[in-house]
């Protein structure tokens, strides 16, 4: 099977790569699956109009999106009476990738065809990029006639943002989503709760925003610095339900699913500061001001813990209509469970041999709650310990091993290992040239080398790898400018790895095309690291 796959890949590369090699100057990121050059050129100017077929409710919004982009980015103002037409066509062509599209540019006609609105949107993104590199004159923008057939390699193309350690306002969250959108990514993983802050308005538990959303002060410098220093300033914030719903709708219009993360059973000290009765010791507790792992966790032996979490998850599900809810499940110390009689009673009653199995019991209880709400559970790879919940999706961060094990057991996985996907790591070996980071070293080229499907996974199970994701943890990222700097341009590398056929990936080609991507970053007013 591997040999057959290689031969098919080689054949595709022999024909597809030959067609794509000469088009780096277009600056298309991520790189399309197939580009064919047609004879002649097209001049796009004010004497064009946009039309669409069918009655799909998204088509008019997509027309408006393209109209706005042509005006804002390219100073093209359309004429509704023109005979030169950009057509947006939703087709029933089953040969197209679910999120794929065909972009055909030929003289006085441009067609974007897809079998879903998502595909039309991605085709619009590609047309925008082609116009960036077109020849501009007082006659309009001259672009080559061409046909692009394209679609993503992976279903899950995600970016993560931690707002628990540092809080970012709604305006930046929208800008972050805009960055995700221009890269043809489709998942925004919103890490909303942490030991250092809870960011979600929950009507049933008002103290989550009154108490859990704020810490007394924040660490200055690095965790390893001695002696540690703090700024002495109360810090925090939270999102109202209306604000979060606004973000969900903003993302939906860009075909991005917002996946909320509500951490449990660990990384929950902020909750326990407000509701200490849910802990093993009963408190008192404070919202953590120091990064790292904390011993205070939800008590697995109390029914009140699951009653609390069920009410929270019901409200979270109402805010976020997507299919997935991430529950964390990582870095949960078992110290309190080992010492607490109720947790030990729970283990004896359920026939559990150790505290890892108690965590598995906890996760399975939560999965049952989410299933009743019509949601699927995602957790970091620690949820494998003690036995995996039946329908859980594993996000592998401690290397690829957790993902491999989950796939072997028949579970879907998302790959985001620290080695290639942690954008809070330094981008330069010379750390004096870089803003303070948590540690590690992850340059652009290494992100580009990421392969979400390791060789250890059998070919008949490769479909269980949903895709991958870049993660931005914010212990040392307190401003939106720094957040942008840490993700850009590494987001571009991750986007291409997750979208483009593996056989077309070429770092030299990518680096050449990044010159146009830097132009787009500048147009958006982004802060970023520029690689030579």
């Amino acid at each position: 099977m591997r040999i057959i796959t290689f031969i098919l890949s080689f054949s595709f590369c022999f024909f597809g790569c030959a067609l794509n090699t000469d088009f780096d100057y277009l600056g298309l990121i991520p790189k399309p699956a197939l580009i064919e050059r047609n004879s002649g050129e097209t001049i796009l100017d004010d004497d064009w109009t946009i039309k669409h077929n069918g009655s799909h409710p998204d088509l008019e919004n997509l027309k408006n999106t393209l109209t706005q982009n042509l005006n804002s980015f390219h100073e093209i103002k359309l004429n509704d009476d023109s005979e030169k037409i950009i057509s947006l066509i939703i087709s029933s062509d089953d040969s197209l990738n679910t999120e794929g599209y065909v972009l055909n540019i030929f003289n006085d006609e441009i067609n974007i065809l897809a079998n879903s609105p998502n595909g039309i949107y991605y085709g619009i993104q590609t047309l925008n990029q082609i116009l960036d590199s077109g020849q501009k004159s007082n006659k309009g923008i001259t672009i080559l006639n061409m046909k692009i057939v394209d679609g993503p390699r992976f279903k899950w193309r995600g970016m993560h943002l931690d707002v628990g350690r540092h809080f970012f306002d709604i305006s930046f969250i929208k800008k972050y989503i805009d960055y995700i959108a221009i890269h043809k990514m489709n998942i925004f993983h919103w890490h909303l709760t942490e030991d250092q802050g809870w960011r979600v308005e929950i009507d049933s538990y008002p103290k989550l925003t009154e108490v859990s959303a704020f810490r007394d002060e924040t660490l200055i410098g690095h965790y390893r610095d001695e002696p540690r220093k703090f700024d002495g300033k109360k810090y925090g914030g939270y999102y109202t339900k209306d604000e979060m719903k606004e973000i969900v709708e903003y993302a939906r219009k860009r075909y991005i699913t917002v996946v909320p993360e509500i951490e449990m059973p660990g990384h929950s000290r902020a909750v326990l500061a407000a509701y200490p009765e849910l802990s093993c010791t009963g408190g008192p507790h404070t919202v953590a001001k120091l990064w790292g792992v904390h011993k205070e966790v939800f008590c697995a032996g109390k029914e009140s813990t699951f009653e609390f979490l069920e009410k929270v998850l019901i409200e979270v599900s109402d805010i976020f209509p997507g299919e997935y809810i991430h529950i964390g499940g990582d870095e949960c110390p078992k110290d309190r469970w080992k010492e607490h009689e109720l947790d030990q009673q729970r283990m004896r009653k359920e026939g559990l041999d150790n505290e890892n199995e108690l965590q598995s019991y906890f996760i399975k209880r939560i999965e049952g709650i989410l299933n009743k709400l019509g949601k699927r559970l995602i957790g970091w790879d620690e949820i494998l310990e003690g036995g995996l919940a039946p329908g859980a999706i594993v996000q592998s961060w401690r290397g690829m091993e957790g993902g491999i094990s989950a796939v072997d057991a028949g579970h879907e996985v998302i790959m985001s290992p620290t080695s290639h996907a942690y954008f809070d790591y330094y981008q330069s070996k010379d750390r004096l040239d870089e803003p303070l980071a948590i540690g590690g070293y992850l340059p652009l080229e290494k992100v580009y080398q990421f392969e979400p499907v390791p060789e250890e996974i059998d070919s008949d199970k490769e479909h269980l790898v949903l895709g991958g994701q870049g993660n931005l943890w914010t212990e040392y990222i307190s401003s939106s400018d720094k957040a942008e700097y840490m993700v850009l341009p590494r987001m571009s590398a991750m986007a291409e790895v997750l979208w483009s056929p593996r056989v077309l990936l070429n770092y030299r080609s990518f680096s050449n095309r990044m010159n146009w991507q830097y132009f787009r970053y500048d147009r958006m007013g982004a802060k970023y690291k520029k690689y030579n």
Side-chain angles (χ1 to χ4, degrees):
M1 186 65 182
R2 293 277 185 190
I3 295 173
I4 295 172
T5 301
F6 173 78
I7 293 171
L8 290 174
S9 298
F10 179 81
S11 300
F12 181 84
C13 188
F14 181 80
F15 294 104
C17 293
L19 290 167
N20 280 16
T21 300
D22 297 331
F23 292 97
D24 283 358
Y25 68 91
L26 293 174
L28 301 183
I29 289 179
K31 193 170 192 175
L34 180 66
I35 305 176
E36 294 178 344
R37 172 77 164 94
N38 295 324
S39 62
E41 298 173 336
T42 290
I43 300 177
L44 192 64
D45 55 18
D46 293 351
D47 191 26
W48 282 71
T49 190
I50 302 172
K51 294 186 179 180
H52 59 74
N53 75 320
S55 58
H56 195 289
D58 283 13
L59 281 169
E60 190 64 26
N61 290 332
L62 289 164
K63 175 183 175 181
N64 293 337
T65 296
L66 179 53
T67 300
Q68 182 179 349
N69 289 349
L70 291 174
N71 190 359
S72 300
F73 299 156
H74 309 293
E75 300 180 346
I76 294 173
K77 299 179 180 179
L78 300 175
N79 176 3
D80 288 340
D81 296 326
S82 175
E83 295 182 358
K84 291 186 286 187
I85 298 170
I86 302 174
S87 299
L88 309 180
I89 304 167
I90 291 187
S91 165
S92 57
D93 185 353
D94 293 336
S95 68
L96 286 173
N97 183 298
T98 302
E99 297 178 272
Y101 65 91
V102 176
L103 170 61
N104 202 5
I105 302 170
F106 192 75
N107 295 338
D108 292 341
E109 185 176 355
I110 297 174
N111 296 324
I112 301 175
L113 181 145
N115 60 18
S116 70
N118 312 46
I120 298 289
Y121 185 77
Y122 298 138
I124 288 172
Q125 298 296 321
T126 299
L127 178 60
N128 281 332
Q129 291 189 358
I130 290 171
L131 289 168
D132 284 338
S133 56
Q135 184 66 42
K136 296 169 180 61
S137 69
N138 55 9
K139 295 181 180 180
I141 303 177
T142 302
I143 54 180
L144 297 178
N145 288 340
M146 68 183 75
K147 180 180 180 180
I148 295 178
V149 182
D150 198 13
R153 180 184 174 197
F154 290 104
K155 173 183 178 180
W156 189 286
R157 306 181 304 281
M159 279 300 302
H160 157 285
L161 179 64
D162 164 24
V163 297
R165 276 54 175 260
H166 281 100
F167 181 76
F168 298 88
D169 64 23
I170 287 296
S171 63
F172 178 70
I173 300 300
K174 289 180 178 179
K175 193 174 183 183
Y176 198 79
I177 289 171
D178 287 339
Y179 293 138
I180 295 172
I182 69 165
H183 288 93
K184 297 189 177 82
M185 302 174 96
N186 63 353
I187 297 291
F188 172 43
H189 177 173
W190 205 0
H191 186 89
L192 288 161
T193 73
E194 258 305 333
D195 292 305
Q196 296 82 15
W198 176 281
R199 310 300 181 207
V200 186
E201 182 181 44
I202 300 293
D203 295 334
S204 302
Y205 299 101
K207 287 194 288 185
L208 288 174
T209 47
E210 295 167 4
V211 176
S212 303
F214 300 91
R215 58 178 178 262
D216 291 337
E217 56 185 354
T218 300
L219 183 69
I220 297 173
H222 203 279
Y223 180 92
R224 293 191 294 268
D225 293 346
E226 293 291 348
R228 293 188 180 122
K229 297 180 181 179
F230 295 85
D231 63 7
K233 300 174 183 178
K234 187 175 181 179
Y235 180 89
Y238 64 92
Y239 306 104
T240 67
K241 286 189 171 183
D242 286 343
E243 286 175 325
M244 289 181 286
K245 289 178 180 179
E246 181 182 339
I247 289 298
V248 167
E249 178 62 14
Y250 190 86
R252 185 195 67 79
K253 290 180 177 178
R254 290 151 182 81
Y255 301 95
I256 293 167
T257 299
V258 182
V259 178
E261 181 174 355
I262 309 297
E263 276 273 12
M264 61 185 83
H267 286 293
S268 302
R269 190 167 137 181
V271 176
L272 303 179
Y275 298 97
E277 65 274 15
L278 300 176
S279 71
C280 296
T281 66
H285 305 297
T286 59
V287 179
K289 61 183 183 180
L290 192 63
W291 319 130
V293 177
H294 297 268
K295 290 183 179 181
E296 305 306 331
V297 302
F298 282 116
C299 179
K302 296 178 179 177
E303 280 303 303
S304 57
T305 294
F306 298 99
E307 292 167 3
F308 168 88
L309 290 171
E310 182 167 15
K311 288 182 180 178
V312 167
L313 291 172
I314 287 171
E315 293 195 35
V316 169
S317 295
D318 180 62
I319 299 167
F320 298 97
E323 181 181 358
Y324 310 100
I325 290 182
H326 204 300
I327 56 84
D330 60 310
E331 297 179 327
C332 178
K334 311 300 191 298
D335 306 63
R336 297 292 184 249
W337 291 353
K338 291 177 181 178
E339 300 164 355
H340 191 226
E341 180 56 30
L342 288 180
D343 293 291
Q344 295 301 309
Q345 286 180 17
R346 175 80 75 188
M347 289 171 58
R348 290 192 292 270
K349 179 181 177 182
E350 300 295 334
L352 307 175
D353 291 334
N354 52 53
E355 286 73 19
N356 283 338
E357 292 188 9
L358 181 58
Q359 172 160 327
S360 177
Y361 166 86
F362 191 110
I363 301 300
K364 290 174 182 176
R365 286 278 303 262
I366 297 301
E367 183 181 43
I369 293 169
L370 291 178
N371 287 347
K372 286 191 295 183
L373 296 171
K375 305 292 185 181
R376 292 195 65 189
L377 180 148
I378 305 174
W380 302 104
D381 55 60
E382 284 94 332
I383 67 172
L384 288 162
E385 298 167 5
L388 190 55
I393 299 170
V394 172
Q395 187 161 4
S396 191
W397 72 279
R398 298 177 299 174
M400 308 288 273
E401 292 76 16
I404 294 168
S405 296
V407 165
D408 286 343
H411 288 265
E412 292 179 323
V413 303
I414 302 153
M415 294 296 195
S416 55
T418 57
S419 58
H420 294 81
Y422 270 50
F423 295 169
D424 54 335
Y425 285 12
Y426 286 100
Q427 299 193 68
S428 172
K429 287 183 178 179
D430 186 356
R431 297 182 178 183
L432 295 177
D433 293 338
E434 292 282 303
L436 181 68
I438 195 168
Y441 171 50
L442 182 56
L444 184 66
E445 185 171 7
K446 188 166 184 181
V447 178
Y448 197 80
Q449 293 168 353
F450 177 42
E451 171 47 49
V453 182
E455 288 293 325
E456 292 87 344
I457 291 178
D458 292 337
S459 57
D460 62 343
K461 292 184 177 180
E462 289 180 358
H463 67 282
L464 294 173
V465 179
L466 298 181
Q469 180 177 293
N471 297 332
L472 187 66
W473 303 99
T474 63
E475 289 93 336
Y476 301 96
I477 302 172
S478 58
S479 71
S480 58
D481 283 357
K482 187 172 179 181
E484 290 178 2
Y485 177 86
M486 297 302 278
V487 298
L488 302 174
R490 292 186 283 192
M491 189 189 296
S492 291
M494 180 62 71
E496 183 148 307
V497 164
L498 298 176
W499 178 280
S500 303
R502 184 178 182 183
V503 294
L504 295 185
L505 298 181
N506 180 290
Y507 186 70
R508 179 178 295 179
S509 164
F510 172 77
S511 297
N512 292 336
R513 288 178 282 116
M514 276 304 300
N515 290 319
W516 277 111
Q517 195 76 331
Y518 294 137
F519 165 80
R520 297 177 192 116
Y521 292 164
D522 289 335
R523 183 169 60 196
M524 298 177 75
K527 303 295 185 295
Y528 61 93
K529 179 179 177 64
K530 188 169 185 177
Y531 286 78
N532 296 324

